Amino acid sequence: SQTIHQWPATLVQPVGSPLSLECTVEGTSNPNLYWYRQAAGRGLQLLFYSVGIGQISSEVPQNLSASRPQDRQFILSSKKLLLSDSGFYLCAWSGQGYQPQHFGDGTRLSIL
Amino acid sequence: AQSVTQLGSHVSVSEGALVLLRCNYSSSVPPYLFWYVQYPNQGLQLLLKYTSAATLVKGINGFEAEFKKSETSFHLTKPSAHMSDAAEYFCAVSDRGSSNTGKLIFGQGTTLQVKP
């Protein structure tokens, strides 16, 4: 069966520090991968998606970037965190076609 | 562009009462539709999906949803609420033309409160 791992579960970072969140998927190949942010009391905002290694599409301009160095690895990064980057970050994967997305357990990021 | 509207950001029911969470979509072609549940500080879990087979879809935890093309709706129901159903619920539709990206369009979510 397929599983998705996302870490860390919680992270507290100072403003201006770098960020690296990692997500890996097991049990499938060539998944579509996604990064979402969920601000407190708000819905899901799609940040990035990827349909293959090295292929990254950005949905909104922001202080973050994403990379996909391997087929089942998706990384969310920032060089300098802003207060507005606080939130709950979710990684997800889907198969090809009109398939549901499957989510990781999320990372709670707090910026001080 | 496609969109999803969840009517009611907060719904409160008593334990044992009917749960009805509303979702309307806009699409010029039959969509694929999904309901997800999110418990506090967790990721989203797929409850059920509609993929143009039966219009009444049964999911996990006793939930079901009915696709009504004439009403462009996909409401989520459960006959009898349990305390453990208290969570955030999201309706989502596949972005047409997104078969190679798998992108979904999510509603804003409905918080379900279950009172004892």
Side-chain angles (χ1 to χ4, degrees), chain A residues 25-112:
Chain A
V25 180
E26 296 178 356
T28 187
S29 59
N30 195 30
N32 292 324
L33 296 171
Y34 314 88
W35 277 112
Y36 290 88
R37 178 168 58 204
Q38 194 173 24
R42 302 186 66 178
L44 293 162
Q45 181 185 33
L46 179 62
L47 301 176
F48 302 94
Y49 68 92
S50 172
V51 300
I53 296 174
Q55 301 179 60
I56 308 296
S57 296
S58 175
E59 288 291 290
V60 292
Q62 57 207 319
N63 185 43
L64 303 169
S65 62
S67 61
R68 184 172 177 173
Q70 301 180 44
D71 182 44
R72 292 169 290 174
Q73 183 184 29
F74 205 23
I75 298 172
L76 183 69
S77 304
S78 174
K79 293 182 179 178
K80 286 186 177 182
L81 285 168
L82 306 173
L83 283 174
S84 57
D85 292 323
S86 293
F88 191 52
Y89 289 81
L90 290 160
C91 181
W93 75 272
S94 73
Q96 300 305 311
Y98 296 107
Q99 298 294 322
Q101 293 180 12
H102 305 277
F103 287 78
D105 290 333
T107 295
R108 176 74 59 190
L109 176 64
S110 298
I111 311 299
L112 303 179

Side-chain angles (χ1 to χ4, degrees), chain A residues 11 13-14 16-20 78-81:
Chain A
L11 189 60
Q13 293 284 93
S17 64
L19 173 73
S20 179
S78 174
K79 293 182 179 178
K80 286 186 177 182
L81 285 168

Side-chain angles (χ1 to χ4, degrees), chain B residues 78-94:
Chain B
K78 181 173 181 178
S80 177
H82 193 272
M83 295 297 291
S84 61
D85 294 326
E88 185 90 12
Y89 291 81
F90 292 94
C91 181
V93 61
S94 282

